[in-house]
Amino acid sequence: MTPALLHHLILAVADDMIAHADELTELDRAVGDGDHGINMKRGFEAVRADAGSTAEKPLPDALKAIGTQLVMKVGGASGPLYGTLFLALSKEIAPDASNLPTAFAKAVEAVKARGKSQPGQKTMLDVLAPVQTALAEGGGDLSARLPGVAASAADATIPMLATRGRASFLGERSIGHMDPGARSSALIVASVCRALED
Ligand code: ADP
Ligand code: MG
């Protein structure tokens, strides 16, 4: 992991999140309070502004800096949860990312603990967990396959009944809409993978 590659990855994720802010907000308007895109945009604009100095850090420190920014800037339910994901990853990851599958598994467990949530409740975990499983299974072409895994997993939240987060207040009316956090998680996975292929 060179500073140049890390810089490229950070900008790819931040730019995609900023570019999809309206879409995420639209999704959150259907099942929440319509701020997910605004929240993520605010957080990733802060991450983007610091990308140069963050990319100079060793990978664990860089992930810590990103997680801290997300906790401070995103807000809502998703800020602490995405913050937890990146901060837990920063604690577990080796500087050369060689243990990514196990580190990511622990980070997903940390999100579950923080959210008191599990896959199947129509949240970001419905993307993070299947991505984690695919990572753990390994095999060739992971960076080519994971975006599809994540996108299908986000689509699979459409028929789900929300039982966590703001969408759960809607009860049955949460059915028929994609979870905004599932979509933002799928976008992050796709951005990282695509940037790794560049
Ligand atoms: P808020 O719901 O506070 O307005 P956001 O709109 O930014 O925050 O984020 C909503 C997203 O956060 C949801 O779509 C869902 O994916 C995720 N989320 C909310 N609560 C939880 C939870 N307990 N566990 C996992 N993810 C959650
Ligand atoms: Mg919201």
Side-chain angles (χ1 to χ4, degrees), residues 28-29 32-37 39 76-78 166 180:
D28 197 34
R29 211 167 270 147
D33 55 355
D35 63 354
H36 188 55
N39 291 344
S78 59
R166 219 176 267 282

Side-chain angles (χ1 to χ4, degrees), residues 13-154:
V13 174
D15 285 344
D16 278 351
M17 207 52 56
I18 293 163
H20 286 85
D22 289 348
E23 181 197 339
L24 294 173
T25 283
E26 209 50 53
L27 291 173
D28 197 34
R29 211 167 270 147
V31 293
D33 55 355
D35 63 354
H36 188 55
I38 297 162
N39 291 344
M40 295 298 277
K41 182 168 183 242
R42 189 171 52 238
F44 279 93
E45 276 172 352
V47 168
R48 196 181 202 294
D50 284 355
S53 60
T54 302
E56 295 295 327
K57 300 176 194 282
L59 182 60
D61 298 13
L63 290 166
K64 185 176 177 188
I66 293 167
T68 304
Q69 287 280 36
L70 295 180
V71 170
M72 287 192 315
K73 296 281 162 62
V74 175
S78 59
L81 292 165
Y82 276 124
T84 295
L85 182 74
F86 281 86
L87 290 173
L89 205 48
S90 84
K91 287 202 189 94
E92 302 293 341
I93 197 93
D96 65 356
S98 54
N99 65 342
L100 179 64
T102 53
F104 191 72
K106 286 183 178 156
V108 173
E109 288 307 310
V111 173
K112 289 180 188 172
R114 176 84 211 208
K116 299 186 175 57
S117 43
Q118 292 291 331
Q121 297 180 313
K122 196 179 180 100
T123 71
M124 61 175 72
L125 282 170
D126 290 306
V127 167
L128 297 176
V131 166
Q132 184 268 311
T133 302
L135 252 185
E137 285 168 1
D141 282 347
L142 260 182
S143 58
R145 281 191 290 115
L146 284 182
V149 170
S152 304

